[in-house]
Amino acid sequence: MTTRRTVIKAVGAGTVASGLSTPASGVSGAPRAARTDVLVVVEKSNHSVSFYDAVTGERQETIRLPEYPHEMVVDSRGRFAYVGHYGVRMASTVGEGGSAVFVVDLAERTLARTIDTRPFNRIHGMGIDRHDRLYALSEEKAVLLGFDAPSTDTAPTRAVPTQGVKTHLFALSRDGERAYVTGLLSHTVSLVRPHDASVAPVLVTPGLLPESSCLSRDEKTLFVGARKSSALVAVDTRTMKVRRTKRVGGDPLRVYMIDDERLLVTDIAAKTLTAYSTDLRPLRTLHLNGTPSAVTLHPGRPLAYASLLDTNEIAVVDLNRFTVTHTFATHSEPDAAVLLAR
C-alpha cells in the first residue's frame, strides 16, 4: 500500500469491491523527475479505477468495480470521486445497464459505498458544482439526478426531466443552476434547471449526434461536438440559438476549454487532438497512435492527459509544443480521469 498524501487540488473532467495493489505499469520515454501528481483513471473494460503516478506512469493501486463504470468527477477537496455505473460498454450496446453511483474514497483508495439510483438506469454523465453538489444523468430515463450532500446521501435528493432522448453527457454551470444535456437520439441539447423542475427545458438542435459539450469561461457560449455532422458548434447559452457552426471532419467526440481563448477536441476517427480558437478556427492538430476518448487538463501546467481506448495508454501532451512527451500503460479501455495535483 502506498503512503497517503494530502490532496491540494483535484481536477476532473460518480456493490461490493476492494482495493487491490497492482504492479507498476510500463512507461515510454517518461521523464524521471520526482513528482507526486496522481492521475485517477476509469478503466471501463477492466471494470476498475486505478491510481497512476502522473509522470512516471507507475500504477499504484486498482479498485475493482462492477461492470462498465464510465464517467467520473471529484469534489473540491479531492477527498471523494463519484463514478457513474453505466453498466454497458458503449452507447450503442443494448441493455438495462447500471443504476448506481460509486463513491470512491481517494485518501483511503477504496470504494467507500454505493448510492442506489433505481429506477434511474444507465448512469453516464456526471457533474459537480462549486458547492460540491453532485449531478448524475440517467441516459435511459432522460432525467438529471441531483445529490445535495453526495458524501452522505443514500439516494438522489432531486430529479429533473430533460426532454431529450438517450441523454448521454452534460455541461454544468459553476453554480449548478444550469445544465446543458446532450441527447444522442433526439439530436438535441437541453437547457435544464437542476434546482427548479417547474422550469421547462429549452432545446436546440446543434447537429446530428451531439455528445460532448463544454462552457466558455464566461459561461455565455456552449461548444458542442456534433459527431455525425462532423461539426463543432457554438450555442448562445441565454437564447439557446446556434451562433456558429464549423465543419471539422472526422468524429469530434469530446470538447474541452484549454483556457479563455482555446478549445481542445478529440477526434476518434482521425485519432487526433485539435486546438481551436473560440471562434472555431483550427489552430494546431496532433496525430496520436491510439484513439483518444477523454482528456484531463492539468490545473497549473500546460499538460493534457489523453486516454487512448484501443492501445490502453495515457498520452501526456505538452500543450505549448503540442507534442506527446511520453505515454504509459493502463488496464483495458482507459476513459474518464481526474488529476490529483499535489
Side-chain angles (χ1 to χ4, degrees), residues 178 180 189 191 202-204 206 215-216 218-224 233-244:
R178 293 171 291 132
Y180 299 86
V189 176
L191 166 58
V202 180
L203 278 65
V204 63
L215 286 163
S216 61
D218 62 10
E219 299 190 344
K220 294 180 179 180
T221 306
L222 183 76
F223 298 100
V224 184
V233 183
V235 176
D236 186 301
T237 57
R238 182 182 62 84
T239 64
M240 290 300 286
K241 303 294 184 183
V242 172
R243 285 180 180 163
R244 185 178 291 111

Side-chain angles (χ1 to χ4, degrees), residues 15-16 65-66 85 99-103 111-116 153-154:
T15 307
V16 177
L65 297 173
H85 188 198
S99 300
V101 171
F102 304 127
V103 183
L111 176 62
R113 60 196 186 86
T114 297
I115 304 174
D116 191 336
D153 284 339
T154 58

Side-chain angles (χ1 to χ4, degrees), residues 37-337:
D37 289 355
V38 173
L39 192 70
V40 186
V41 183
V42 173
E43 298 151 324
K44 62 183 185 182
S45 284
N46 193 60
H47 320 303
S48 62
V49 169
S50 290
F51 295 72
Y52 294 89
D53 184 297
V55 172
T56 68
E58 176 189 5
R59 185 183 303 123
Q60 299 172 343
E61 202 139 17
T62 293
I63 301 171
R64 300 292 181 186
L65 297 173
E67 286 194 346
Y68 299 115
H70 274 227
E71 299 301 303
M72 174 171 58
V73 292
V74 64
D75 66 23
S76 61
R77 297 179 301 139
R79 177 59 197 275
F80 293 107
Y82 301 95
V83 183
H85 188 198
Y86 194 48
V88 292
R89 181 171 172 264
M90 300 173 65
S92 60
T93 305
V94 176
E96 182 177 346
S99 300
V101 171
F102 304 127
V103 183
V104 175
D105 187 317
L106 296 172
E108 297 300 322
R109 298 187 179 181
T110 60
L111 176 62
R113 60 196 186 86
T114 297
I115 304 174
D116 191 336
T117 63
R118 289 177 294 181
F120 304 104
N121 59 319
R122 290 177 74 111
I123 303 300
H124 193 262
M126 303 288 290
I128 199 161
D129 66 22
R130 67 187 180 199
H131 308 291
D132 280 337
R133 297 176 299 193
L134 178 70
Y135 307 84
L137 184 61
S138 168
E139 182 186 86
E140 175 67 22
K141 298 297 190 294
V143 168
L144 184 63
L145 307 175
F147 304 82
D148 290 348
S151 63
T152 56
D153 284 339
T154 58
T157 50
R158 59 187 68 249
V160 293
T162 68
Q163 292 188 7
V165 180
K166 202 172 180 64
T167 51
H168 201 63
L169 290 169
F170 62 95
L172 185 70
S173 64
R174 286 184 287 272
D175 62 8
E177 296 301 321
R178 293 171 291 132
Y180 299 86
V181 182
T182 57
L184 297 180
L185 281 182
S186 52
H187 307 292
T188 55
V189 176
S190 306
L191 166 58
V192 301
R193 304 285 180 171
H195 296 272
D196 190 351
S198 69
V199 178
V202 180
L203 278 65
V204 63
T205 302
L208 298 179
L209 199 67
E211 179 162 338
S212 173
S213 66
C214 69
L215 286 163
S216 61
R217 294 291 175 87
D218 62 10
E219 299 190 344
K220 294 180 179 180
T221 306
L222 183 76
F223 298 100
V224 184
R227 296 181 57 191
K228 284 191 175 179
S229 296
S230 298
L232 190 57
V233 183
V235 176
D236 186 301
T237 57
R238 182 182 62 84
T239 64
M240 290 300 286
K241 303 294 184 183
V242 172
R243 285 180 180 163
R244 185 178 291 111
T245 299
K246 174 70 174 180
R247 295 278 297 184
V248 297
D251 188 341
L253 180 69
R254 296 287 181 112
V255 185
Y256 303 89
M257 289 298 305
I258 299 176
D259 51 35
D260 290 340
E261 299 178 345
R262 294 180 298 164
L263 304 167
L264 188 66
V265 178
T266 68
D267 187 321
I268 62 171
K271 297 187 177 182
T272 58
L273 294 179
T274 299
Y276 291 88
S277 65
T278 51
D279 61 2
L280 309 188
R281 290 181 296 108
L283 302 174
R284 305 181 78 174
T285 295
L286 173 64
H287 291 269
L288 300 168
N289 292 326
T291 302
S293 55
V295 170
T296 301
L297 299 172
H298 195 288
R301 303 178 62 202
L303 293 175
Y305 303 85
S307 299
L308 305 182
L309 278 174
D310 52 348
T311 60
N312 302 325
E313 293 176 299
I314 300 294
V316 184
V317 178
D318 182 320
L319 292 173
N320 285 340
R321 295 184 296 160
F322 229 66
T323 58
V324 175
T325 64
H326 63 285
T327 63
F328 58 85
T330 66
H331 288 304
S332 180
E333 291 197 312
D335 201 355

